[in-house]
Amino acid sequence: MKFWLLDLWLAMRSVLRQGRRTLIAIGAVSFGVIAMILSAGFIEWLMEGMRESTIKSQLGHVQVVRPGYVERGTSDPFGFVIDGEDAAQRKVEQGAGVKVVAPRLSFNGLASKGDNTLAFLGQGVSAKAEAVLSSSVTISRGRNLSPDGVNEMIMGRGLAANLGVNVGDTVVLMTTTAAGNVNAVEAPVVGIFISVSKEYDDSALRMPLALAQQLVRVNGAQQWLVLLDDTDKTDAKLAELGKVLPAANFELVPWYRLSDFYNKTRDLFASQVNVVQFIILMIIVLSISNTLSMSVMERVSEIGTCMALGLTRARIRRIFMSEGVMLGLVGGGLGVVIGCALALAISAVGIPLPPPPGMEQGFDGEIRLTFGIVAKALAIAVVSAFVSSLYPAWRASRMNIVDALRQSR
């Protein structure tokens, strides 16, 4: 232990003695750590925002459906209606961590106003439950569905524009019922909404669940969307619900099984972050390796003298490796402090971003700091600094004592 402390002391003195070269190496390490924190933090914030907006506008954390609905529900939507399961729904609603359970009845049809007729995707919803679940759905004009409303609807902005519909206009809806007959209703549009998906807004409308059931002539709904108070509790809630809902009657579908776009985007961004981190790692390795290699060349006589006085080759290696680790720790620590400060400042100001694909509105970006991001950036700095010191340390320890001492003459 005593020798290790002495080696660290000698390494620190050597680092401090080479002021300009040390500052360059520390600056390279700090820049790399700052870049890793800011890039990974921005991607983390972007992915978290996409995840939460997807959950809180379309999917919920867990969907309770009839077995087979996910695979075959598109072709036979009314063959998987959940009806007469009030007791089971109450069990789900009373579970720990459940904010709301929102039933949804989905169907397709034609919407008409005057001479304009367009296909639509309809959803019968509970206005009270959707007020909690669909927090990412914004009413741009008019109002949302009323908890007491029966004969009314809200419409996506794109669908309303294509139909030429304004708030207060009456629209005729025609669809095929569960029995295969044709049915129609007319209802006023009380609001125009915007969600996170332009594609959804171009085709969707919502109405009270009772009106949707009247239109397609069924009872119940195809989905119960369960919204939790914490996304990280999704798997635990799946296991809990699996114990109270019989598998023969219900299938539990987590949000990540349904969000294909989010999953692919997350994998793409993760690959990009890995590439950035690899490039930064190489910059750190080359920078510190160059600094220590130059130090070895300038300290040949010093190394020879130390070996002549009895220092083993292992201790020579240890001293140079300690210098590399020290540069990584100092540069990494400085980079963490500056990177976290910059992340907080940037988040306070915001990063103006244009509308992403499928959306119409831009937003202000932020940098999300997590322990994992900061710890990983610091670990990469220290490990890469250690790795970059191995060759210069080996080179110094392999010197011939006589040749090294001769250079001092």
Side-chain angles (χ1 to χ4, degrees):
M1 185 66 178
K2 181 179 179 181
F3 288 123
W4 275 101
L5 293 175
L6 180 59
D7 293 343
L8 288 174
W9 171 252
L10 292 174
M12 185 180 70
R13 293 195 54 160
S14 299
V15 168
L16 293 175
R17 186 174 57 187
Q18 307 168 60
R20 186 175 64 178
R21 194 175 298 125
T22 297
L23 287 176
I24 293 174
I26 289 176
V29 176
S30 299
F31 173 80
V33 171
I34 293 169
M36 282 189 283
I37 289 176
L38 294 182
S39 60
F42 176 70
I43 296 299
E44 179 69 17
W45 176 85
L46 199 63
M47 289 294 95
E48 182 180 353
M50 179 183 295
R51 180 192 69 189
E52 294 302 315
S53 62
T54 300
I55 289 171
K56 294 178 181 179
S57 65
Q58 300 178 22
L59 302 178
H61 289 100
V62 178
Q63 291 191 12
V64 181
V65 297
R66 291 297 191 195
Y69 175 76
V70 175
E71 293 78 15
R72 304 188 303 276
T74 303
S75 59
D76 184 18
F78 303 123
F80 299 89
V81 172
I82 304 174
D83 185 23
E85 299 285 359
D86 295 341
Q89 185 174 349
R90 283 194 295 272
K91 288 181 181 179
V92 178
E93 292 172 338
Q94 294 168 2
V98 176
K99 295 180 68 175
V100 71
V101 176
R104 284 186 182 174
L105 177 63
S106 301
F107 57 96
N108 299 307
L110 296 175
S112 299
K113 178 183 179 293
D115 295 331
N116 297 327
T117 300
L118 290 176
F120 71 87
L121 169 64
Q123 287 183 333
V125 300
S126 166
K128 184 177 180 180
E130 292 295 333
V132 179
L133 173 63
S134 298
S135 58
S136 296
V137 174
T138 303
I139 301 297
S140 62
R141 283 179 287 163
R143 62 172 175 83
N144 209 335
L145 295 174
S146 170
D148 301 324
V150 177
N151 191 45
E152 61 185 20
M153 72 178 79
I154 59 174
M155 188 174 288
R157 184 166 68 175
L159 179 60
N162 292 331
L163 270 177
V165 171
N166 293 313
V167 174
D169 290 345
T170 298
V171 176
V172 177
L173 305 179
M174 183 171 63
T175 187
T176 303
T177 67
N181 302 316
V182 176
N183 194 19
V185 298
E186 61 177 17
V189 176
V190 298
I192 307 296
F193 67 80
I194 305 171
S195 71
V196 296
S197 172
K198 182 178 181 300
E199 182 181 2
Y200 178 74
D201 297 345
D202 288 343
S203 61
L205 59 85
R206 290 181 172 182
M207 64 183 64
L209 183 61
L211 180 61
Q213 292 171 340
Q214 175 188 338
L215 180 60
V216 297
R217 294 180 180 173
V218 298
N219 296 317
Q222 296 127 337
Q223 303 164 291
W224 297 344
L225 275 61
V226 182
L227 183 68
L228 307 177
D229 55 13
D230 187 355
T231 301
D232 293 335
K233 298 178 182 177
T234 301
D235 289 334
K237 179 55 66 174
L238 276 174
E240 179 185 326
L241 292 177
K243 297 176 181 178
V244 299
L245 298 178
N249 296 332
F250 299 99
E251 181 180 359
L252 304 176
V253 187
W255 67 269
Y256 48 78
R257 179 179 161 189
L258 302 171
S259 55
D260 184 64
F261 178 77
Y262 168 81
N263 292 332
K264 291 180 178 178
T265 304
R266 179 197 59 199
D267 294 340
L268 173 64
F269 282 169
S271 300
Q272 292 175 342
V273 169
N274 290 336
V275 170
V276 171
Q277 290 176 343
F278 176 76
I279 294 173
I280 293 172
L281 184 148
M282 294 305 300
I283 292 174
I284 295 175
V285 168
L286 293 175
S287 175
I288 294 183
S289 179
N290 177 68
T291 298
L292 294 181
S293 294
M294 294 297 295
S295 178
V296 169
M297 293 175 61
E298 293 177 356
R299 295 159 60 187
V300 171
S301 59
E302 177 186 330
I303 295 169
T305 302
C306 291
M307 296 176 69
L309 292 175
L311 265 69
T312 64
R313 296 184 185 276
R315 285 199 66 187
I316 296 295
R317 286 196 300 270
R318 200 158 63 220
I319 290 172
F320 277 91
M321 287 189 292
S322 298
E323 290 184 24
V325 172
M326 195 166 296
L327 289 172
L329 282 172
V330 175
L334 185 62
V336 165
V337 172
I338 297 175
C340 291
L342 283 175
L344 294 174
I346 292 172
S347 297
V349 176
I351 308 171
L353 297 173
M359 293 181 63
E360 295 183 349
Q361 291 183 320
F363 52 92
D364 289 336
E366 299 179 12
I367 308 296
R368 177 165 172 75
L369 290 176
T370 65
F371 176 79
I373 290 174
V374 175
K376 185 177 181 180
L378 182 59
I380 289 176
V382 175
V383 171
S384 59
F386 172 76
V387 171
S388 64
S389 69
L390 294 178
Y391 176 71
W394 176 84
R395 184 179 172 188
S397 68
R398 302 306 299 172
M399 284 186 181
N400 184 281
I401 299 177
V402 176
D403 292 340
L405 290 174
R406 186 181 295 122
Q407 288 197 20
S408 64
R409 304 179 64 181

